[in-house]
Amino acid sequence: MVPEAEGGERPPATSVVVCAYTTARWDTIRAALASAAGQIPAPLEILLVVDHNPELARRARAELSGIEVLDNEGPRGLSGARNTGIARSTGDVIAFLDDDAAALPGWLAQLLAPYADPDVVAVGGAARPQWPPGSGRPGWLPSDGVLDWVVGCTYAGLPTARAEVRNVMGCTMSFRRTVFDEIGGFSTRVGRLGALPLGCEETELCIRARQRLPRARILFEPRAVVAHQVSADRLSWSYLRRRSWSEGVSKAVVSRLAGTGSAVATERRYVARVLPAAVGRELVRSARNRRTDSGKALIGIATALLAAAGGFVRESARRSGPGPATGEPAPATAVTELDVRRGAATLPVPANPELVYRDAQVLVRDGRWTLDLLRLPVTGPRVDLSGLHLATPPARPEPDSRTPRVSVVVPTADRADAVRRCVKSLLATGYPDLELLLVDNRPQAAEAAALAELASEDSRTRYLAEPEPGVSRARNTGLAAASGQLVAFVDDDIEVDRWWLANLVAELADEAVDCATSLVLPSSLDTPAQRTFEQLKGFGQGVRRQVFGPELAGDDAMYPFAPGRFGPGGCALWRRSTLAGLGGFDPLLGPGTPTRAGEDLELFLRLARAGGSIVYTPHAVAWHEHSAEWAQLRKRLHAYSVGLSAMFVRHLLRRPEDLRRVAAVVPDRAGRILRTRSSPQDSGSTGPGTRLLLDQLTGLVSGPAALARSAWRTRSRWPR
């Protein structure tokens, strides 16, 4: 018999949705699905949504019976996967179970019983930690459960009997279908992305439900229990810091979307009441029993609190910058594309609801080819195309039917969120013979595991570790392991366009070309800092295709000692034989060393002085996330200036005969810095423009000493 719900009614028909993203969790995925299938009442259907992992989807369809396997039809991440499950489900209630959680008997019945009350829109359950075999609760995790939220489980301070709460817990929750019909699905601007421990998508949804549905009741039912698997990588101090920081970041994002009062009301009570009580208990235990675990638990509580607060403050300030506090909407520049075959330019949704787009940077294309890059006004919700006038289209390479093997090297260090987006964009190019080498330049346990897991999600991707710091070393490690005759280098904060690789390869079909560089545009221009960076140091070199070779030496006095004009080295394709002849990137230069930049420019300069040829093509398009804050911008521009002067000193140690020509370049660079002291966003004499000026000039002065420190640290010999 099917149990009745409270009030004597039959329980509502229920769809159970499980979202998964990696084959590494295959055993727990199967356990989660089996635990859902064994519930009484039986679910109407069980849906497994696979988050952009074709290998996992194929295996699930081949080995699982009675389960509907779906591909995530939205953006990568847990929110997109859940929204796919909502769209494809048919039940009156939709229950969500994590892929590493197993529902205990009675779980579904306890979740469904409260829905007899028509005002109940969501019911969540409790999660008990299931520790890895041979491991128990780590010492930094207090025994009373006050920090169990760090490992995704029910924590001290939640109700011990059924009660109304602000939000349900993501690993075990259910919603009435009408909620999604009324307010939409989970926001893709928050939520977990693969192994990155962000979250709060269910918090934002529950707050939105209360705001839009005044009578809505959201309940916590502690008798609806799941056993939540805690993986070994979550038992480390580094995971505690990362998870807590990410929780603060997520709460700040929710605050922007839903309002600070709603977003952190529960956390205020937790910090004011629950944590002090837990600290008191641990102090008493430590005094009575002299337990070392109590000391670790106290440090764990402090670490979690400080890291979460730091993440919240950091993210809250991320898009803020100097500007008048007038209460007026902040004007911004949209970034969008226009394909002349479709005839429309869509405005992006602002990340900050206070932004108003006044104009737009529009990349105009004809399919895979770039036509122009324009700044157009925005009228209401759309780009005003009335004044659209295109320049003469840039020259195009001849498309080549050959597809030589290409190895793409992506160096990264502690940037799991950014590198996942980068890797996704590279794989989405669909290039038929692609190898992607993910080089971890700071291989620590938790971060290394996350990157290795990311690499395991696609057979075209390999994980490599390079423990010696420096992006040059990481790139050289990738180069040594690469099997392609063409090798591309892409920074981890860049996302490439679908045609990016094909259009670069087309340029290297000409055997005389050694390297091809890209048009790299900003992914957003929402903040004054981003707009200032694009004005002063944008990576794009315009929409004119340019060929740089020995023939320019007699016509251009600055060639080749202005290597920045060649395009960005962090998004370029090289001929492998050329790189071998040059000896790769210089390990004394670049991020991760005292010189902080300059490694790509130095390699371009070496190539040009050796008589090589470089093509800058506007048809290979990529997108870079510019620094959103003034502090980040200042740090980045200072680093570029340090690297620039260090690069020139390094070159002169190889070729002292170039001293006279280099001596003419550095004053020219300093003069251009002085001429751009103030930006349109900063007209004050003491504003960011003045500080940016000083940052760049001090960077130029600091370069030689930074190079000396880099050489000392690596004990490298100065070249003769």
Side-chain angles (χ1 to χ4, degrees):
M1 293 182 61
V2 177
E4 293 183 345
E6 294 175 3
E9 300 178 2
R10 292 176 64 85
T14 306
S15 303
V16 176
V17 175
V18 177
C19 301
Y21 71 96
T22 175
T23 55
R25 290 188 176 181
W26 180 249
D27 291 340
T28 62
I29 293 169
R30 294 189 60 136
L33 296 170
S35 72
Q39 294 296 307
I40 301 175
L44 173 68
E45 59 189 352
I46 302 175
L47 309 177
L48 175 65
V49 185
V50 178
D51 187 17
H52 297 277
N53 188 333
E55 180 183 354
L56 175 57
R58 286 192 296 269
R59 184 173 183 181
R61 291 188 174 101
E63 299 185 25
L64 300 176
S65 60
I67 306 296
E68 185 174 359
V69 180
L70 307 173
D71 292 305
N72 180 5
E73 297 170 351
R76 183 186 290 273
L78 186 54
S79 292
R82 285 175 172 164
N83 289 340
T84 297
I86 294 167
R88 300 286 291 274
S89 63
T90 59
D92 298 320
V93 169
I94 305 172
F96 296 90
L97 181 66
D98 271 8
D99 63 350
D100 56 357
L104 301 188
W107 169 74
L108 190 55
Q110 295 291 351
L111 285 182
L112 296 181
Y115 285 106
D117 179 351
D119 289 338
V120 172
V121 299
V123 182
R128 298 174 184 168
Q130 190 76 24
W131 306 110
S135 300
R137 178 181 291 273
W140 53 262
L141 200 59
S143 57
D144 60 6
V146 71
L147 287 185
D148 280 11
W149 58 266
V150 172
V151 293
C153 294
T154 306
Y155 56 91
L158 289 176
T160 56
R162 184 190 298 174
E164 284 199 49
V165 290
R166 179 193 63 185
N167 62 276
V168 293
M169 182 182 301
C171 70
T172 165
M173 61 182 178
S174 62
F175 291 87
R176 203 183 290 274
R177 170 176 291 283
T178 53
V179 172
F180 303 113
D181 296 336
E182 290 282 342
I183 70 171
F186 292 91
S187 172
T188 56
R189 290 151 74 179
V190 286
R192 180 174 283 269
L193 183 65
L196 186 69
L198 295 171
C200 291
E201 68 282 355
E202 67 278 354
T203 302
E204 189 277 334
L205 181 68
C206 290
I207 293 173
R208 190 166 14 117
R210 285 188 177 279
Q211 292 172 342
R212 298 273 294 276
L213 307 170
R215 296 182 58 185
R217 299 182 67 211
I218 298 171
L219 302 181
F220 172 63
E221 175 49 81
R223 293 175 293 179
V225 182
V226 302
H228 200 182
Q229 295 286 336
V230 180
S231 56
D233 65 298
R234 297 187 181 187
L235 303 183
S236 66
W237 285 97
S238 63
Y239 183 81
L240 169 64
R241 293 190 296 270
R242 289 174 60 232
R243 176 68 182 87
S244 302
W245 179 274
S246 297
E247 182 71 11
V249 169
S250 301
K251 284 295 188 297
V253 175
V254 173
S255 295
R256 284 203 296 267
L257 297 176
T260 303
S262 299
V264 297
T266 299
E267 287 70 25
R268 287 196 186 104
R269 290 192 295 272
Y270 175 78
V271 171
R273 301 176 185 177
V274 179
L275 281 185
V279 170
R281 287 192 295 271
E282 294 298 337
L283 287 172
V284 170
R285 289 173 186 161
S286 179
R288 287 179 177 175
N289 306 319
R290 299 183 182 277
R291 293 177 53 194
T292 57
D293 279 356
S294 293
K296 291 181 180 179
L298 289 170
I299 297 174
I301 292 172
T303 299
L305 181 61
L306 292 173
F312 183 88
V313 172
R314 179 72 166 76
E315 180 63 21
S316 297
R318 191 172 72 88
R319 294 189 178 274
S320 64
T326 63
E328 295 293 323
T333 297
V335 176
T336 188
E337 294 184 54
L338 168 66
D339 191 327
V340 293
R341 301 183 184 184
R342 300 175 183 174
T346 304
L347 286 179
V349 177
N352 184 344
E354 298 178 357
L355 291 179
V356 174
Y357 290 130
R358 301 289 174 82
D359 62 356
Q361 178 178 279
V362 183
L363 177 68
V364 186
R365 312 185 78 173
D366 178 12
R368 68 185 279 184
W369 307 111
T370 294
L371 297 180
D372 211 340
L373 183 65
L374 302 173
R375 186 67 67 92
L376 297 175
V378 170
T379 304
R382 55 179 56 88
V383 178
D384 184 355
L385 301 180
S386 60
L388 178 64
H389 298 288
L390 300 180
T392 303
R396 304 173 181 178
E398 289 295 328
D400 194 339
S401 59
R402 294 174 296 174
T403 54
R405 183 166 180 78
V406 176
S407 300
V408 181
V409 178
V410 181
T412 187
D414 289 345
R415 293 172 57 89
D417 54 341
V419 78
R420 178 173 284 277
R421 294 191 293 270
C422 175
V423 167
K424 177 184 176 182
S425 71
L426 288 164
L427 296 176
T429 61
Y431 189 80
D433 196 358
L434 173 67
E435 172 187 54
L436 203 163
L437 302 169
L438 190 57
V439 186
D440 186 358
N441 200 211
R442 200 171 294 161
Q444 301 173 2
E447 291 79 5
L451 290 174
E453 186 173 292
L454 170 61
S456 71
E457 293 176 6
D458 193 290
S459 59
R460 294 171 290 177
T461 305
R462 279 197 287 154
Y463 170 83
L464 302 172
E466 174 47 70
E468 290 295 324
V471 72
S472 291
R473 292 185 184 276
R475 287 175 176 164
N476 289 340
T477 295
L479 174 61
S483 59
Q485 64 187 84
L486 303 179
V487 182
F489 300 95
V490 179
D491 288 350
D492 63 3
D493 55 359
I494 285 177
E495 296 179 61
V496 302
D497 174 74
R498 174 192 173 193
W499 294 106
W500 172 79
L501 189 51
N503 288 345
L504 285 179
V505 171
E507 296 288 1
L508 267 72
D510 181 350
E511 294 294 331
V513 176
D514 295 286
C515 174
T517 61
S518 313
L519 169 61
V520 178
L521 298 173
S523 58
S524 66
L525 291 172
D526 289 348
T527 72
Q530 290 173 326
R531 296 190 289 275
T532 300
F533 180 86
E534 181 64 13
Q535 178 192 18
L536 298 180
K537 194 64 177 69
F539 297 119
Q541 300 296 316
V543 295
R544 185 170 67 90
R545 179 176 176 269
Q546 300 179 67
V547 179
F548 302 96
E551 64 277 5
L552 291 178
D555 301 328
D556 188 340
M558 296 295 289
Y559 184 86
F561 296 98
R565 65 194 290 191
F566 298 154
C571 194
L573 179 67
W574 288 78
R575 203 174 296 282
R576 183 188 178 90
S577 57
T578 298
L579 288 168
L582 293 172
F585 290 88
D586 192 321
L588 297 189
L589 299 172
T593 73
T595 60
R596 304 172 65 184
E599 78 295 341
D600 49 355
L601 301 184
E602 191 274 338
L603 189 61
F604 285 149
L605 180 53
R606 236 188 304 152
L607 172 64
R609 291 296 279 140
S613 177
I614 302 170
V615 172
Y616 165 75
T617 175
H619 303 297
V621 179
W623 310 89
H624 177 262
E625 181 64 33
H626 289 356
S627 301
E629 301 173 43
W630 290 112
Q632 293 175 326
L633 175 61
R634 292 181 59 195
K635 183 177 180 181
R636 175 162 290 200
L637 291 182
H638 178 77
Y640 287 161
S641 296
V642 172
L644 181 70
S645 60
M647 178 272 294
F648 279 127
V649 172
R650 183 65 161 145
H651 176 76
L652 290 175
L653 290 169
R654 287 192 174 99
R655 300 186 69 130
E657 66 272 18
D658 288 339
L659 176 60
R660 179 174 297 180
R661 298 181 67 184
V662 170
V665 172
V666 175
D668 178 77
R669 172 63 181 173
R672 287 196 291 123
I673 292 173
L674 289 168
R675 288 192 295 272
T676 58
R677 183 184 65 83
S678 292
S679 72
Q681 294 79 30
D682 164 47
S683 58
S685 61
T686 60
T690 302
R691 294 196 295 269
L692 292 177
L693 164 67
L694 295 175
D695 291 331
Q696 294 177 84
L697 292 178
T698 57
L700 289 175
V701 173
S702 304
L707 179 64
R709 289 197 305 274
S710 185
W712 174 257
R713 288 185 183 183
T714 59
R715 302 297 193 271
S716 296
R717 291 183 179 178
W718 293 95
R720 297 181 180 178

